[in-house]
Amino acid sequence: MGMVLVSCHDNTVYSQYESTPVRGWERNDTLSFDIEPMQETSLYAEEVGVRITGNYPFKGLSLIVEQTLYPSNKTTTDTLNCALIDDTGHANGKGINHFQYLFPLTTLKLNKGESVHVAIRHCMKREILPGITDIGLKLSRQVSTGIKTKEDK
């Protein structure tokens, strides 16, 4: 019963995709996402979306995700390693000729009025990556369990 109730509520507060150039995503081409100030203090789950075609030449994708929290100007940097193709050559994502993935990044505690700027770039050895069509960011408010964390006590 609880699973049905949870799945009926969409807690997404931000979901946006940015397209990469058709000729390929260059290493120095950073994609930016600006999340507006939060309406309420809560824990938020962040996920990175990746869309590829069958032309993507590698099994995985390494991304550098840099986040700046405002108004504190606190910046964090994470490396996200995305497994896209399994050892048998089959895509792990959803789709037929175009594949979509969603990778968990982190959980943030954001206070009311705080906003986030996120910059994503690839850190693969190849300068230009063909076959990546879009990179996205999703932020979802986590439903309170009623259990207090150490920070809340």
Side-chain angles (χ1 to χ4, degrees):
M1 179 99 172
M3 295 277 281
V4 173
L5 293 174
V6 171
S7 65
C8 291
H9 299 290
D10 185 12
N11 293 313
T12 301
V13 295
Y14 181 87
S15 182
Q16 181 71 37
Y17 276 83
E18 295 292 329
S19 297
T20 59
V22 173
R23 62 178 167 63
W25 187 20
E26 292 186 39
R27 186 180 307 137
N28 62 359
D29 184 13
T30 301
L31 302 174
S32 295
F33 304 87
D34 289 300
I35 301 171
E36 296 292 319
M38 295 296 108
Q39 298 299 311
E40 62 183 285
T41 298
S42 187
L43 289 176
Y44 294 89
E46 269 185 309
E47 297 173 291
V48 172
V50 177
R51 294 176 181 155
I52 66 169
T53 67
N55 295 332
Y56 186 70
F58 302 107
K59 289 183 180 181
L61 172 65
S62 292
L63 301 172
I64 301 293
V65 181
E66 184 177 282
Q67 302 187 76
T68 304
L69 181 64
Y70 294 104
S72 68
N73 282 333
K74 180 183 175 189
T75 299
T76 58
T77 303
D78 293 299
T79 301
L80 183 62
N81 294 305
C82 308
L84 304 173
I85 309 296
D86 67 19
D87 289 335
T88 63
H90 293 94
N92 296 328
K94 296 178 182 176
I96 298 174
N97 290 327
H98 288 77
F99 304 96
Q100 182 162 327
Y101 303 83
L102 204 54
F103 298 98
L105 179 62
T106 190
T107 300
L108 298 172
K109 181 178 181 187
L110 297 173
N111 295 312
K112 183 177 179 178
E114 289 182 317
S115 62
V116 184
H117 171 79
V118 180
I120 301 175
R121 66 186 186 279
H122 78 79
C123 59
M124 301 291 286
K125 289 182 181 181
R126 193 167 181 176
E127 185 67 32
I128 299 176
L129 291 179
I132 296 176
T133 60
D134 304 281
I135 299 294
L137 183 70
K138 181 178 179 181
L139 188 73
S140 303
R141 188 174 58 81
Q142 293 189 333
V143 178
S144 175
T145 60
I147 300 171
K148 293 188 177 194
T149 65
K150 287 182 182 179
E151 290 181 356
D152 296 331
K153 292 181 181 178

